[in-house]
Amino acid sequence: MADLAGRLLEGLPEAAVVLDPDVTSAYSHDMAGFCVAGEPAVLVLPETVEQVQHILRTATELRVPVVPQGARTGLSGGANAVDGCILLSMVRMNRILELDPVNRIAVVQPGVVNAELSRAAAEHGLAYPPDPSSWESCTIGGNIGTGAGGLCCVKYGVTSEYVLGLDVVLPDGRLLRTGRRTAKGVAGYDLTRLLVGSEGTLGVVVEAVLALRPAPAPQLALAAEFPSADAACTAVCEVMAAGFVPSLLELMDATTVRAVNEMARMGLPDATKALLLVAFDGPGKAEDLAAVAELCRAAGASEVVPAEDRAESDLLLEARRLALPALDRLGTTMIDDVAVPRSRMAEMLRGVARIADRQRLTIGMVCHAGDGNTHPVVVFDATDEAQSARALESFDEIMALGLELGGTITGEHGVGLLKRDWLARELGPVGLELQRQIKAVFDPLGIMNPGKTI
Amino acid sequence: MADLAGRLLEGLPEAAVVLDPDVTSAYSHDMAGFCVAGEPAVLVLPETVEQVQHILRTATELRVPVVPQGARTGLSGGANAVDGCILLSMVRMNRILELDPVNRIAVVQPGVVNAELSRAAAEHGLAYPPDPSSWESCTIGGNIGTGAGGLCCVKYGVTSEYVLGLDVVLPDGRLLRTGRRTAKGVAGYDLTRLLVGSEGTLGVVVEAVLALRPAPAPQLALAAEFPSADAACTAVCEVMAAGFVPSLLELMDATTVRAVNEMARMGLPDATKALLLVAFDGPGKAEDLAAVAELCRAAGASEVVPAEDRAESDLLLEARRLALPALDRLGTTMIDDVAVPRSRMAEMLRGVARIADRQRLTIGMVCHAGDGNTHPVVVFDATDEAQSARALESFDEIMALGLELGGTITGEHGVGLLKRDWLARELGPVGLELQRQIKAVFDPLGIMNPGKTI
């Protein structure tokens, strides 16, 4: 370890190399539950590409594992330390290098916080759409690592749609430049998108060219209360089949609605078994919203509350923002991230309700319904061993159900540690073998974030 | 060869194995100029996944190269035969397997023609946006192979944005399933997008899950005549910087305008040095078009002709559809495909004009201007050896210019044979080495479309 720190200090200032175990242990995990974190050897906080290259060359030389990190807001343990590793925190490389309204691109370092980029883009009338819940603290590097999504993805797509090119330091310290600064380009294999969502297992992003969009107009929203989750899912399918393009389409089940109600005294009737939030931001948004209100009523909504303006819309959307905090008040929570074809979301909700019943647990459903991306939130008492075991079991049952319904074990959070064993089931043997071989092309020594994902 | 045909016939019906050299030579090249085509050993036209697997297993066993093909409308020689190869034409696997309006996906075989999918989707109020010029004949498999673009990409993006999952037969006959049927998903490395644009060098697509969108409303267009290409490029930059999202934004230079004028007697004044076509299809299209008309006038447009309705719009857009046929009437043509940041498109046009001058050649510019994707069309007399050599030279000079301006050698046509030597210049040594290693993971024997791209 003295060797390692000494070698690192040959190319890094003292302030960038942290050995204090109080600090390193604080950096040793992200926000996922049920994930072990090892003991890191050292935490490094580089500020330049050359420093990152030095760190990775050192790691290769000494065969030390490297765990890259952003703001550690991840939910799958992907940023958790492994024993004896270099924790490579990219948070100090946090500059927006370019913001170009004509070409609608931003060039950023990985430590830039998502919300900071959004605010900087807004000054030019532009937007960087992917908006994970943690957008006020999560970094673009972390977003790229996990392939992050968010609420607006139903209209605007996820992170991989917005990454045009990357500068990546490979495990041996070489600098790889992928992609382009142009709107289009098909020269060679798409390594950019291979790296998006690779969770730090192939290399370390040190710069990214991101596509921006014109900032959308403020959203206009409605809330619709349904007497059953089935009816709400039917409404979702009908909205999408009718060709609407909402900027937000979220669903909360009875458990979540009750929790939000208790926390915020929103006065939702007890008969509400599911709440749908729909928003539009296009030029015809008032007409679209009125038409969707009709569809919701036809699908059985007991009450449809359309907002008259932006302020009322924000109030309605507040219910969604409170969903996770409200569920958190009920106990320890573990959030899953299973996406299914949206036509099968009703089955998913029924199935999760059955699992909750059988396991005698509370499981709240918070769904990016337009994308079929469900977040079952398992609530349990972490001090109760048997209950914790049942929580873990139901977490697995939820993934099995998702796969059975033609879905994926992770819509936007990533595989990390949490779902590593499940990845093989989703990919199958041929896919898994190819993925392992690709990993070996980038990282022949297996030092990049070992034990994660693949 | 007898061996090869015999082995192939063990798993294929007689009608699927063609040895007649008249037929095989007709299949031996795509639509690219200046590209050699080898002599194929055999042409195969499978109808099932199992047959494709048999073909590739046979190829691996006998170490015979395989060249996959769609409709051979490609412009880079990617589908050209290599000596002694199996030409693997996928055109008979041409069924639309599913079309699902709720989940907004289509599941198709690779031989489905782009326009057929578009028409089938339209029956459900849906659209498959990527629309290469050859859309009436090109296949989805070919589109995936090249990462095809088109006119509407400025608003709707290119092929890779619409491919959710693939079934791919690997060179050794194994079946790889990538991606998903869900709107979102980040489980494992994104092999789907690695395969899009891989030009048949990694495997053979036998089925694809494609994302569809709600069909847009008919476009409303305007034509703006400019006294210089510079002024037209300024208008493009201002339209994009102002946050407009046109559904089409095309530019034709003086050479192209003259050729179209001569062919179709459109009555454009000789003073027109560049023609801009702009269209919108959103709810506020009339207002957007009026605002863009103002921007064009402010940028120096001598005449702005807005369409009153769909019929007039179609008439205006006809000029763009005639651009390539009109240039074709002037001699043999060779179409390039260089994309640059849109802020540098004016420099690109000036540079190409200089090249045309110096090489004493006609070069027409047809540009997907909103994307900075230029198609310089080099016109020459193919019977004149010296002129042909100058054409080839200018083709290369155009690519060098594109790279110099921060662009890419191919925005949407692919690398194929035509630009293989240039790919290394764009990727650099680190990227090229990784790409070669990835190729070896999929195709260790190097039998898939050898000599193309990488």
Side-chain angles (χ1 to χ4, degrees):
Chain A
M1 186 141 92
D3 250 22
L4 173 59
R7 278 291 287 123
L8 288 169
L9 283 166
E10 286 170 25
L12 287 167
E14 258 180 60
V17 180
V18 181
L19 292 165
D20 179 348
D22 287 347
V23 181
T24 59
S25 84
Y27 277 78
S28 70
H29 54 85
D30 62 20
M31 290 173 67
F34 279 123
C35 281
V36 291
E39 246 179 74
V42 59
L43 164 70
V44 288
L45 297 130
E47 297 191 33
T48 68
V49 174
E50 292 69 29
Q51 291 175 1
V52 176
Q53 291 182 288
H54 172 72
I55 293 162
L56 286 168
R57 269 194 297 264
T58 303
T60 284
E61 212 178 278
L62 304 179
R63 304 288 193 271
V64 178
V66 178
V67 177
Q69 301 184 326
R72 293 176 292 107
T73 54
L75 293 163
S76 68
N80 281 18
V82 300
D83 281 333
C85 76
I86 298 173
L87 279 182
L88 172 49
S89 173
M90 300 302 289
V91 293
R92 288 192 187 161
M93 289 183 67
N94 60 358
R95 283 185 306 138
I96 297 173
L97 304 171
E98 282 181 55
L99 220 153
D100 176 344
V102 172
N103 294 305
R104 289 186 187 163
I105 58 169
V107 182
V108 304
Q109 292 186 322
V112 169
V113 168
N114 181 300
E116 276 167 26
L117 174 60
S118 295
R119 280 190 282 266
E123 282 175 33
H124 298 270
L126 294 166
Y128 176 70
D131 60 345
S133 300
S134 56
W135 73 300
E136 284 285 2
S137 49
C138 65
T139 65
I140 296 298
N143 294 171
I144 292 171
T146 54
L151 298 185
C152 74
C153 301
V154 61
K155 178 166 181 181
Y156 295 106
V158 297
T159 299
S160 70
E161 258 86 61
Y162 293 90
V163 185
L164 298 178
L166 292 172
D167 282 5
V168 175
V169 176
L170 298 172
D172 59 11
R174 283 180 302 164
L175 186 65
L176 167 70
R177 179 159 282 190
T178 75
R180 54 199 157 84
R181 299 172 61 99
T182 52
K184 287 156 78 179
V186 291
Y189 304 135
D190 189 347
L191 298 190
T192 306
R193 262 121 167 207
L194 188 69
L195 285 154
V196 175
S198 65
E199 303 190 35
T201 64
L202 302 179
V204 180
V205 172
V206 289
E207 198 175 301
V209 183
L210 304 174
L212 303 175
R213 290 183 52 92
Q219 301 188 102
L220 200 60
L222 68 73
E225 299 163 27
F226 287 86
S228 72
D230 265 17
C233 290
T234 300
V236 168
C237 289
E238 289 187 358
V239 167
M240 298 305 280
F244 290 102
V245 183
S247 51
L248 177 145
L249 182 41
E250 298 284 315
L251 186 155
M252 292 182 281
D253 74 342
T255 302
T256 310
V257 168
R258 205 164 46 238
V260 169
N261 226 1
E262 278 165 18
M263 179 178 176
R265 318 223 168 278
M266 296 195 111
L268 294 165
D270 277 350
T272 302
K273 296 300 178 212
L275 187 73
L276 215 58
L277 295 166
V278 191
F280 289 91
D281 62 6
K285 57 190 168 188
E287 295 76 11
D288 285 345
L289 212 58
V292 165
E294 269 320 298
L295 278 181
C296 286
R297 283 189 199 100
S302 49
E303 181 100 47
V304 179
V305 186
E308 292 291 323
D309 55 25
R310 184 178 180 174
E312 278 185 41
S313 292
D314 286 350
L315 214 63
L316 290 179
L317 299 181
E318 184 67 12
R320 171 60 182 85
R321 271 186 288 273
L322 293 178
L324 295 180
L327 289 167
D328 270 338
R329 292 176 45 185
L330 306 182
T332 298
T333 57
M334 194 174 171
I335 181 166
D336 213 328
D337 173 43
V338 171
V340 295
R342 66 176 74 91
S343 61
R344 309 204 70 177
M345 204 170 46
E347 289 168 81
M348 184 70 195
L349 268 82
R350 283 199 298 269
V352 171
R354 273 196 306 274
I355 292 168
D357 266 0
R358 198 174 51 240
Q359 298 281 10
R360 289 167 290 129
L361 285 167
T362 298
I363 305 181
M365 290 294 272
V366 185
C367 310
H368 306 312
D371 285 326
N373 190 175
T374 71
H375 290 310
V377 181
V378 183
V379 183
F380 60 102
D381 177 353
T383 64
D384 178 335
E385 217 170 286
Q387 206 180 115
S388 299
R390 294 206 306 279
L392 198 54
E393 217 174 278
S394 56
F395 197 78
D396 282 354
E397 287 171 355
I398 288 167
M399 284 190 280
L401 174 64
L403 290 179
E404 209 180 291
L405 295 174
T408 170
I409 56 166
T410 175
E412 57 183 8
H413 291 173
V415 174
L417 273 178
L418 197 60
K419 301 186 168 184
R420 195 182 38 163
D421 299 337
W422 282 83
L423 186 63
R425 279 173 76 159
E426 177 160 342
L427 296 181
V430 178
L432 192 67
E433 189 184 336
L434 281 170
Q435 299 230 354
R436 288 205 171 120
Q437 288 174 296
I438 287 171
K439 158 82 173 166
V441 164
F442 283 80
D443 180 25
L445 300 174
I447 61 169
M448 290 306 304
N449 214 1
K452 314 293 174 61
T453 309
I454 294 290
Chain B
M1 186 141 93
D3 249 21
L4 174 60
R7 279 289 288 122
L8 287 168
L9 283 165
E10 286 170 25
L12 287 166
E14 258 180 60
V17 181
V18 182
L19 291 164
D20 179 348
D22 287 348
V23 181
T24 59
S25 84
Y27 276 78
S28 69
H29 53 85
D30 62 21
M31 290 174 66
F34 279 123
C35 283
V36 291
E39 245 179 76
V42 59
L43 165 70
V44 289
L45 298 130
E47 296 189 34
T48 68
V49 174
E50 293 68 29
Q51 289 176 1
V52 176
Q53 291 182 288
H54 172 73
I55 292 162
L56 286 167
R57 270 194 297 263
T58 304
T60 284
E61 215 179 276
L62 304 179
R63 305 288 194 271
V64 178
V66 177
V67 177
Q69 302 184 325
R72 294 176 290 107
T73 54
L75 292 165
S76 67
N80 281 18
V82 300
D83 281 333
C85 75
I86 299 172
L87 279 182
L88 172 50
S89 173
M90 300 301 289
V91 293
R92 287 191 188 162
M93 289 182 68
N94 59 359
R95 282 185 305 138
I96 298 173
L97 304 172
E98 282 181 55
L99 221 153
D100 176 345
V102 172
N103 294 305
R104 291 186 187 161
I105 59 170
V107 182
V108 304
Q109 292 186 323
V112 169
V113 169
N114 181 301
E116 277 168 24
L117 174 59
S118 295
R119 280 189 281 267
E123 283 174 33
H124 297 270
L126 294 166
Y128 176 70
D131 60 344
S133 300
S134 56
W135 74 300
E136 284 285 3
S137 49
C138 66
T139 64
I140 296 297
N143 294 172
I144 291 171
T146 55
L151 299 186
C152 75
C153 300
V154 63
K155 179 166 182 181
Y156 296 106
V158 298
T159 299
S160 69
E161 258 86 61
Y162 293 90
V163 185
L164 298 178
L166 293 172
D167 282 5
V168 175
V169 176
L170 297 173
D172 59 11
R174 284 179 302 165
L175 185 64
L176 167 70
R177 178 158 283 189
T178 75
R180 54 199 158 84
R181 299 170 60 98
T182 53
K184 287 156 79 179
V186 291
Y189 304 135
D190 190 346
L191 297 190
T192 307
R193 263 121 167 207
L194 188 70
L195 286 154
V196 174
S198 65
E199 303 190 37
T201 62
L202 301 180
V204 179
V205 172
V206 290
E207 198 175 303
V209 182
L210 304 174
L212 303 174
R213 289 184 53 92
Q219 300 188 103
L220 200 60
L222 67 73
E225 299 163 27
F226 287 87
S228 72
D230 265 16
C233 289
T234 300
V236 168
C237 289
E238 291 188 356
V239 167
M240 298 306 279
F244 291 101
V245 183
S247 52
L248 177 146
L249 181 42
E250 297 284 316
L251 186 154
M252 291 183 282
D253 73 342
T255 302
T256 310
V257 168
R258 206 165 44 237
V260 169
N261 225 0
E262 277 164 17
M263 180 177 174
R265 317 225 167 279
M266 295 196 111
L268 294 166
D270 277 349
T272 301
K273 297 300 178 212
L275 188 72
L276 216 57
L277 296 166
V278 192
F280 289 91
D281 62 5
K285 58 191 168 190
E287 294 77 10
D288 285 345
L289 212 59
V292 165
E294 269 320 298
L295 277 180
C296 286
R297 282 190 200 100
S302 49
E303 182 99 48
V304 180
V305 186
E308 293 291 323
D309 55 24
R310 184 177 179 172
E312 278 184 41
S313 292
D314 286 350
L315 214 63
L316 290 179
L317 299 182
E318 184 66 13
R320 171 61 182 84
R321 272 186 287 273
L322 293 177
L324 295 180
L327 289 167
D328 270 338
R329 293 177 50 195
L330 306 182
T332 299
T333 57
M334 193 174 175
I335 182 166
D336 213 328
D337 173 41
V338 171
V340 295
R342 67 176 72 90
S343 60
R344 309 203 70 176
M345 204 170 47
E347 289 168 81
M348 184 73 194
L349 268 81
R350 283 199 297 268
V352 171
R354 273 196 305 273
I355 293 168
D357 267 2
R358 199 175 49 237
Q359 297 282 8
R360 288 166 291 130
L361 285 167
T362 299
I363 305 181
M365 289 295 272
V366 186
C367 309
H368 305 313
D371 284 327
N373 190 175
T374 71
H375 289 312
V377 180
V378 184
V379 184
F380 60 102
D381 178 354
T383 65
D384 178 335
E385 217 169 289
Q387 206 178 116
S388 299
R390 294 205 307 278
L392 200 52
E393 218 173 278
S394 55
F395 198 78
D396 282 354
E397 288 171 353
I398 288 167
M399 283 191 280
L401 174 63
L403 290 180
E404 209 180 291
L405 295 174
T408 171
I409 57 168
T410 175
E412 57 183 7
H413 292 173
V415 175
L417 271 178
L418 197 59
K419 301 186 167 183
R420 194 182 39 165
D421 300 336
W422 283 82
L423 186 63
R425 279 173 75 159
E426 178 162 341
L427 296 182
V430 178
L432 192 67
E433 189 184 336
L434 280 170
Q435 300 231 352
R436 288 205 171 119
Q437 289 174 296
I438 287 171
K439 158 81 172 169
V441 164
F442 284 80
D443 180 24
L445 300 175
I447 61 170
M448 290 307 302
N449 214 1
K452 314 291 174 65
T453 309
I454 294 289

